[in-house]
Amino acid sequence: MPAISESSAGAADVAVENDYDSFAEGYAAETETNLINGYYARPAIVDLAGDVTGRKILDAGCGSGPIFAALRDRGAIVTGFDASAKMVELARQRLGVEAALQVADIGSPLPFPDGAFDDVIASLVLHYLEDWTAPLAELRRVLKPGGRLIMSVNHPLVFKLLYRDADYFATVKHSDEYTFNGQKAVLTYWHRPLHAMTDAFAMAGFRTTVISEPPPAPGARELFPDALAKSTSGAFLSFLFFVLEAVQR
């Protein structure tokens, strides 16, 4: 999850759920260098991408652009979109006016041609959606055959740890309240079990090549000793990471 939640299971209605426009600045500031995002989710995605020199990459749900920036710095040709106009505005401030950015919704047809990209990044995006069928089909469409979808979602075991009476094997909607740098937010997710994820990938034309539960980035233990004190390896449950290959049809 993007930060430690303050309350659970739809308990608060202090904001419209998933309204990133209303807390974009706070989210971007809070997650820039925190443990969960800055030293875990983002570096893990970049590590999974590997050598991206010259590769055309779509950053789906790019937010304020930190992954876009990291991949561009490594030689990739990056295009990004986000459903939040405010997030795209912040990304443009970070990346420059020439950056290929636009407002688009992963739940709708994407404004890109077939086979336009070598890779798609979807970091912490799909867990907001109940139905993955159309989004995965669109991400597969814009990938070249053999291209990669590199993605992360909330780890399904975390849901069961937080809600012990819940049915792990059901697809379940749940909400949490957060404060991002002083801005209140309600984020609503859809939990699904691991097998439902991999089944959805296969139906969309992907082959799962990597499932990863990585440790945080180097330096995390020194910066966040209290948060990582209980883990001898430094690893912790938060997100689940995948690398998927677009198979030939």
Side-chain angles (χ1 to χ4, degrees):
M1 299 179 189
I4 303 301
S5 63
E6 298 173 350
S7 59
S8 60
D13 294 321
V14 299
V16 177
E17 62 185 31
N18 303 335
D19 180 19
Y20 272 87
D21 280 346
S22 69
F23 55 86
E25 295 97 334
Y27 182 89
E30 178 92 9
T31 60
E32 187 71 23
T33 57
N34 67 347
L35 171 61
I36 297 297
N37 301 87
Y39 280 81
Y40 185 57
R42 290 199 297 270
I45 286 286
V46 173
D47 286 348
L48 286 171
D51 182 3
V52 295
T53 304
R55 295 182 72 84
K56 295 180 179 179
I57 300 180
L58 177 64
D59 188 357
C62 64
S64 62
I67 292 177
F68 187 124
L71 295 173
R72 188 176 67 176
D73 289 347
R74 288 161 174 75
I77 303 162
V78 189
T79 299
F81 75 86
D82 201 279
S84 165
K86 186 62 179 178
M87 280 294 190
V88 172
E89 177 185 331
L90 294 175
R92 196 168 298 284
Q93 292 173 16
R94 178 198 296 265
L95 300 166
V97 295
E98 300 302 321
L101 293 164
Q102 60 184 290
V103 177
D105 188 342
I106 198 171
S108 302
L110 298 176
F112 309 108
D114 295 357
F117 300 100
D118 298 301
D119 300 312
V120 172
I121 304 295
S123 178
L124 310 182
V125 173
L126 290 180
H127 54 211
Y128 293 115
L129 306 177
E130 178 180 10
D131 188 354
W132 287 9
T133 305
L136 284 175
E138 274 296 278
L139 297 181
R140 172 63 184 83
R141 179 186 66 78
V142 302
L143 273 170
K144 297 176 180 177
R148 302 176 300 169
L149 171 57
I150 303 166
M151 58 169 282
S152 57
V153 292
N154 287 338
H155 199 300
L157 284 183
V158 173
F159 172 77
K160 185 60 176 174
L161 291 173
L162 291 174
Y163 311 117
R164 295 185 182 275
D165 294 333
D167 181 0
Y168 168 83
F169 293 100
T171 298
V172 179
K173 184 179 181 181
H174 63 106
S175 298
D176 290 297
E177 181 185 355
Y178 302 87
T179 299
F180 297 116
N181 203 37
Q183 291 183 306
K184 293 287 188 179
V186 173
L187 298 183
T188 294
Y189 311 102
W190 286 90
H191 159 80
R192 70 197 70 225
L194 177 58
H195 79 270
M197 299 182 193
T198 56
D199 287 351
F201 300 152
M203 289 181 62
F206 290 102
R207 180 172 67 91
T208 301
T209 62
V210 175
I211 300 176
S212 180
E213 299 169 312
R221 184 178 288 278
E222 291 72 28
L223 289 169
F224 307 98
D226 293 340
L228 300 176
K230 294 182 180 180
S231 173
T232 57
S233 66
F236 56 91
L237 282 177
S238 182
F239 305 123
L240 195 57
F241 299 80
F242 300 90
V243 179
L244 314 173
E245 179 185 350
V247 299
Q248 295 278 358
R249 294 184 183 274

